Amino acid sequence: LNIIISGVGGQGNILASDLLSRTFCEEGWSVSVGETYGATQRGGSVVSHVRLSGRHAYGPLIPLGQAHIIIGFEPLEVYRILREYGHASVRVVMNDRPSIRWKPCRRTAPIRLPWTGSPKPPSGRSVRRIEGGAGTELAKAAGNAQALNVVMVGAFRRPAVGPACQTGLPATHRRDLSRTPAGDQPQSF
Amino acid sequence: MTTQFAWNLDAPGKRCILSGNEAAARGAIEAGVRVVASYPGSPSVQILECLAAAARERDMYAEWSINEKVALEVAAAASFAGLRALSIMKADGLNVAMDFLTTLPLSGILGGLVLVVSDDPGAHSSVKEEDTRYLAPPAHVPLLEPSTPEDARDMLVWAFEISEKARLPVMVRLVTRICHARGNVQLKPIRGDSRRPHFAADPGFVTAARFHARTHERLESLHPDFESSVFNTYNGPQRPELTLLASGVSHCYAMEAVERLGVGDRVGILRVGTLWPVPEKPLLDVLARSRRVLFLEEIEPFLEEQTKIVAADHWDTLGPLTFLGKKSGDVPWVQKGRGMGEMDPDIATRAVADALGLDFSPVPPELLARRDALPELSMPARLPSFCAGCPHRASYWAIKTALALDGREGFALGDIGCYALGVMPTGYQTIRTVHSMGSGVGLAGGFGKLRQMGLRQPVVAVIGDSTFYHTGIPPLINARTTGADYLCIVLDNGTTAMTGHQPHPGCGVTAMGDPACALPIADFVKNLGIPLTMGDPYDVHRTVAAILDLLDKGGLQVLLLQRACSLQAGKAGGKNRAYVDPDKCRGDDCGCSRLCSRTFACPANIWDEAAGRAAIDEVLCVGCGVCAALCPQGAIVVEPEGGQDVLAMIH
């Protein structure tokens, strides 16, 4: 099973992939995680590849077109990932708040998001289903916009696969998760 | 149940998720390492951080040294005194330590001495893709390369053993996709060691050319260990059509390629974990059974070349062979990240498919067609950017402005650190060179002597604080002696910011968190007798004036710009609140062309599309007030709100 977590530096993607991978490890899976952040610092693209296998550990990178689930912290980054790794049966859990930076020193036309406002898939054909929602707002409601990563992991629980269970999370994050609406009601997400 | 800090758990048999860096640290702990020294460099920074966190409990000593050469010397001293020691550095750092490393095998060592070097295929966080495997042979240092985080742990433990056995330092090459990958690691027992270090009269540790032969004998003595090592494994049919020779993380991709193509009955894989001295026997076994060999490795074709040497030595018994690799063009160089040396499962699978004459497309054609039908969005490039309120942004604004006002085509030279982003739009493309640590100052010393031949342009060198200590002082001494004419601007943010805020000699704290004497940069400069000017980069207008004044004066000058890294200052809490007065901001009628959000381009300066006015993202803004000083309408208001003098915090 190949999961891609994509977002922008500073959103907590790495901790989210850390939570998932530790949880799956506790459940007895072979887990490989590859992360790309390098010198992106805050505001650059950050991508985690999480690969699960019952047989043996795979390499840390997912081949093109082979993602099964995409957890997107930011819509444009989801689009970027879908273009390379999407296919007809990929499932997406997405936060709908865009993060757009202008290219410095240059006049740039505003970037129009074709699907902002309604959690509609960017392309019905490179994705099976998108669960979109106001993750940042839910995190703010839970007390801190920086809890977005835990909200996203919580949202991932239901529509995706079983083993990311609440008991697998470290105590501090479990507490966050129980405070987080999305953690308990992903269907309202 | 948390597995955080799992690298330090005394729980044999426990299965954890560790990053390659954590796994390497775990290997060192299991091997009973006592002294660890490093200089921070991505992607292997966390290894020393893990060990420093565990140091007190495990009776270890860990330090951030001033540079990689000193780090290796600190580790070697422990080895001479009989303890196991580890030094960690990125590829670029090995060049700094290379002078000392090449003398170590000649003197020999006593306690196991392991050198972890992290290469960065794809140059994700480096200026170049250096393949340090090539440096092992001239240094006479045995070389290992793991394929997974668990492997990294196992190899570290074994490296200490063979180092002691052969009395040679051992090098373990990690790559970004090991360091920054995570995988299952089953913990093994920790070898406790509390021996008292002692420097014995015998054996001596003198480096002399007469020991060259002894060094070669010691390397020879490792052949049986390398040739029977569990790190060199063959999997596949007895007589494969094609054999993949893979080292490092490429071994995972090799296995995946064979699985994806379903060619397990036609293709064998030899994973080479002990890279140098070349394990001849397993290589010859494979070459004798297979006519065609394909190499999968990261950055340069090192394994490919070494294998060809072995094949040439045995050409009469082996007969004709076909080698497919980067040299032959059968394994393509593909641009990934900012480089072209990184391997991935698709490059590997395609190379294997081509070698077997199979059709393979990583993305099925119908999916490619669909993808092409997707609307073309102008995706934001998300170039690396200085953080909101970064003092470097303000410094570069001032330098760029002053050089333009000066009007003599002055130029700035930089080097390695966050401030290397000065070559990018976020730093207004102010610096014109980025080479290696301290090179901006060294180059300025050269340019500064071209005056006598008629160079008229002002020369500015830009250097960060951690880099100043690392390699910035010798070129300043040099310039002071030679009378080179340039302005050196030190961007002092009080930390080694690029790699995650490690302390340096100016910080007054050690890697293990103990207080230490802080050595202010200003004292060094004053003691060298170089005229010193101090400033605050947030005070951008005064900084511009200071630079103009110093360029006017000429001669060797140092301008020390001090302001704490905005990430660290932000963590310390208390910040000014900045906001845009919508009545004063004239939007697109101003004529400033959105100076704050487009030109100055701090991430906290945003544009309110609905209002047609500038705005401040208060979540990101640290309240530095630089944009307020630049706004031509004075429309940005900064209110002190529990604000404190951040400058006082650094020194």
Side-chain angles (χ1 to χ4, degrees):
Chain A
L1 183 79
N2 294 328
I3 305 169
I4 296 184
I5 304 179
S6 81
V8 178
Q11 287 186 311
N13 324 27
I14 302 284
L15 181 65
S17 82
D18 190 35
L19 285 179
L20 276 187
S21 57
R22 277 195 264 145
T23 307
F24 286 121
C25 173
E26 295 286 329
E27 301 280 331
W29 296 73
S30 284
V31 186
S32 305
V33 186
E35 266 146 356
T36 305
Y37 43 94
T40 44
Q41 307 189 348
R42 291 206 162 179
S45 303
V46 178
V47 183
S48 298
H49 289 191
V50 181
R51 311 188 71 184
L52 309 175
S53 165
R55 285 172 294 162
H56 61 86
Y58 281 87
L61 293 178
I62 294 173
L64 294 174
Q66 303 229 347
H68 299 107
I69 297 165
I70 294 171
I71 305 179
F73 284 46
E74 203 276 343
L76 278 174
E77 292 305 315
V78 168
Y79 194 77
R80 205 194 294 272
I81 294 297
L82 276 177
R83 286 184 72 94
E84 296 205 327
Y85 296 92
H87 52 86
S89 56
V90 73
R91 305 183 69 161
V92 177
V93 182
M94 183 181 85
N95 176 32
D96 67 3
R97 183 184 200 243
S99 162
I100 299 163
R101 178 83 40 82
W102 308 111
K103 278 185 191 164
C105 312
R106 200 173 302 164
R107 277 179 178 276
T108 320
I111 295 162
R112 285 186 214 295
L113 303 178
W115 71 95
T116 38
S118 62
K120 271 183 63 179
S123 157
R125 290 174 301 177
S126 72
V127 57
R128 188 165 89 196
R129 184 170 159 210
I130 285 201
E131 320 259 347
T136 305
E137 299 310 313
L138 285 169
K140 278 184 185 164
N144 188 344
Q146 289 182 343
L148 172 66
N149 50 4
V150 182
V151 171
M152 295 306 295
V153 172
F156 160 79
R157 270 172 64 211
R158 263 290 273 286
V161 284
C165 58
Q166 202 167 324
T167 51
L169 299 173
T172 47
H173 302 299
R174 202 164 16 185
R175 199 175 57 240
D176 278 359
L177 192 57
S178 65
R179 283 211 320 248
T180 306
D184 295 329
Q185 295 138 3
Q187 65 274 45
S188 73
F189 181 71
Chain B
M1 72 110 249
T2 172
T3 53
Q4 263 174 325
F5 307 112
W7 66 82
N8 190 31
L9 287 180
D10 203 354
K14 185 173 171 58
R15 265 164 59 98
C16 311
I17 287 282
L18 297 185
S19 72
N21 284 334
E22 290 167 351
R26 173 68 191 187
I29 290 175
E30 286 181 5
V33 74
R34 297 291 299 285
V35 170
V36 199
S38 177
Y39 180 83
S42 295
S44 54
V45 196
Q46 291 85 8
I47 300 177
L48 190 123
E49 290 182 323
C50 291
L51 292 167
R56 247 173 274 282
E57 182 188 342
R58 301 271 168 226
D59 194 14
M60 294 189 292
Y61 169 71
E63 78 168 38
W64 286 123
S65 309
I66 191 168
N67 64 34
E68 292 84 355
K69 178 169 183 279
V70 175
L72 185 57
E73 286 158 350
V74 166
S79 162
F80 294 165
L83 304 182
R84 288 189 166 183
L86 173 69
S87 186
I88 307 127
M89 54 198 65
K90 73 180 294 177
D92 314 67
L94 179 58
N95 303 327
V96 177
M98 196 64 186
D99 191 9
F100 182 63
L101 182 65
T102 49
T103 62
L104 265 179
L106 292 168
S107 76
I109 51 113
L110 187 58
L113 178 60
V114 176
L115 172 62
V116 168
V117 181
S118 56
D119 286 2
D120 190 9
H124 296 283
S125 45
S126 310
V127 292
K128 62 182 190 286
E129 299 179 287
E130 181 173 343
D131 191 331
T132 52
R133 295 177 298 174
Y134 284 90
L135 298 183
H140 301 96
V141 175
L143 171 68
L144 312 175
E145 183 175 10
S147 299
T148 63
E150 183 148 44
D151 237 19
R153 187 275 312 274
D154 293 341
M155 271 193 186
L156 257 286
V157 175
W158 192 61
F160 280 102
E161 287 167 18
I162 59 170
S163 167
E164 273 167 11
K165 187 173 171 190
R167 307 274 308 276
L168 292 172
V170 172
M171 189 167 135
V172 180
R173 181 215 198 197
L174 304 183
V175 294
T176 306
R177 294 294 177 197
I178 296 289
C179 293
H180 288 181
R182 274 181 269 136
N184 305 67
V185 177
Q186 188 159 28
L187 303 184
K188 289 180 182 165
I190 292 170
R191 179 191 123 136
D193 179 17
S194 53
R195 273 176 300 162
R196 196 170 68 87
H198 179 69
F199 186 68
D202 188 57
F205 297 99
V206 173
T207 297
R210 67 177 183 279
F211 297 132
H212 196 167
R214 183 181 75 183
T215 307
H216 279 272
E217 282 161 22
R218 287 177 173 178
L219 282 169
E220 289 283 328
S221 75
L222 283 177
H223 278 289
D225 299 88
F226 273 34
E227 297 193 333
S228 62
S229 164
V230 294
F231 299 117
N232 304 319
T233 47
Y234 176 78
N235 272 304
Q238 195 54 35
R239 298 207 74 82
E241 223 173 290
L242 176 74
T243 302
L244 312 181
L245 258 60
S247 74
V249 71
S250 302
H251 178 236
C252 301
Y253 306 143
M255 291 195 296
E256 189 162 358
V258 169
E259 187 182 301
R260 282 169 87 186
L261 298 169
V263 290
D265 54 338
R266 298 168 65 188
V267 178
I269 303 174
L270 176 69
R271 172 266 170 100
V272 185
T274 72
L275 279 171
W276 195 85
V278 189
E280 282 204 8
K281 199 172 157 292
L283 279 181
L284 286 172
D285 282 352
V286 162
L287 295 179
R289 281 191 274 135
S290 181
R291 298 290 88 197
R292 301 175 79 221
V293 180
L294 178 98
F295 299 91
L296 296 173
E297 55 190 319
E298 290 204 298
I299 312 187
E300 310 285 349
F302 177 81
L303 178 60
E304 182 177 347
E305 291 169 8
Q306 293 292 328
T307 306
K308 284 175 179 173
I309 294 172
V310 173
D313 284 343
H314 299 270
W315 67 275
D316 48 342
T317 50
L318 288 175
L321 288 165
T322 307
F323 296 107
L324 311 170
K326 284 178 173 166
K327 287 239 152 160
S328 64
D330 292 284
V331 177
W333 298 89
V334 178
Q335 198 195 337
K336 289 182 59 93
R338 282 176 288 170
M340 58 173 213
E342 189 179 350
M343 184 56 64
D344 72 19
D346 296 309
I347 302 172
T349 310
R350 183 183 289 278
V352 175
D354 287 350
L356 295 172
L358 300 172
D359 268 341
F360 171 75
S361 165
V363 180
E366 73 275 10
L367 202 62
L368 272 181
R370 282 181 191 173
R371 198 167 77 180
D372 291 343
L374 289 175
E376 271 300 332
L377 281 181
S378 55
M379 297 289 281
R382 298 205 201 279
L383 285 172
S385 158
F386 289 129
C387 306
C390 176
H392 294 338
R393 178 180 289 102
S395 298
Y396 279 128
W397 183 279
I399 296 167
K400 181 106 177 175
T401 307
L403 287 174
L405 290 174
D406 177 83
R408 288 178 288 164
E409 293 181 70
F411 54 92
L413 314 163
D415 44 57
I416 311 296
C418 284
Y419 61 103
L421 297 185
V423 291
M424 296 198 177
T426 190
Y428 316 116
Q429 296 170 320
T430 304
I431 51 174
R432 305 267 295 277
T433 65
V434 174
H435 289 85
S436 62
M437 296 286 282
S439 291
V441 188
L443 284 170
F447 279 112
K449 285 307 288 178
L450 297 180
R451 293 263 178 266
Q452 57 209 68
M453 298 174 193
L455 182 85
R456 298 215 177 116
Q457 298 154 281
V459 180
V460 174
V462 175
I463 188 166
D465 43 342
S466 192
T467 311
F468 179 88
Y469 296 103
H470 180 282
T471 24
I473 299 169
L476 267 187
I477 298 174
N478 195 60
R480 176 76 176 120
T481 334
T482 62
D485 174 357
Y486 64 91
L487 166 62
C488 174
I489 302 181
V490 185
L491 308 180
D492 182 2
N493 58 8
T495 184
T496 315
M498 187 77 179
T499 46
H501 303 119
Q502 293 76 24
H504 60 59
C507 296
V509 63
T510 69
M512 289 168 65
D514 296 322
C517 72
L519 306 172
I521 291 172
D523 291 0
F524 283 96
V525 178
K526 280 185 216 153
N527 288 342
L528 288 175
I530 301 172
L532 172 70
T533 311
M534 313 260 286
D536 174 359
Y538 282 176
D539 193 347
V540 67
H541 295 306
R542 215 174 288 174
T543 307
V544 172
I547 297 171
L548 274 172
D549 180 48
L550 293 171
L551 292 178
D552 228 29
K553 279 185 189 149
L556 180 62
Q557 301 273 355
V558 171
L559 172 63
L560 177 56
L561 295 176
Q562 291 183 306
R563 180 55 85 159
C565 167
S566 57
L567 286 181
Q568 279 207 315
K571 280 178 190 155
K575 63 174 188 183
N576 302 330
R577 175 174 175 258
Y579 61 92
V580 175
D581 181 342
D583 297 331
K584 282 193 180 164
C585 174
R586 297 176 57 199
D588 282 336
D589 296 334
C590 174
C592 74
S593 188
R594 305 187 191 174
L595 182 91
C596 56
S597 59
R598 274 182 181 159
T599 311
F600 181 61
C602 172
N605 289 108
I606 52 178
W607 183 256
D608 185 338
E609 202 71 52
R613 292 284 182 272
I616 302 273
D617 183 333
E618 293 194 23
V619 175
L620 291 177
C621 178
V622 301
C624 68
V626 176
C627 60
L630 299 178
C631 174
Q633 299 296 332
I636 301 174
V637 187
V638 184
E639 277 177 3
E641 197 174 299
Q644 51 178 307
D645 187 356
V646 219
L647 191 59
M649 277 167 32
I650 27 175
H651 292 294

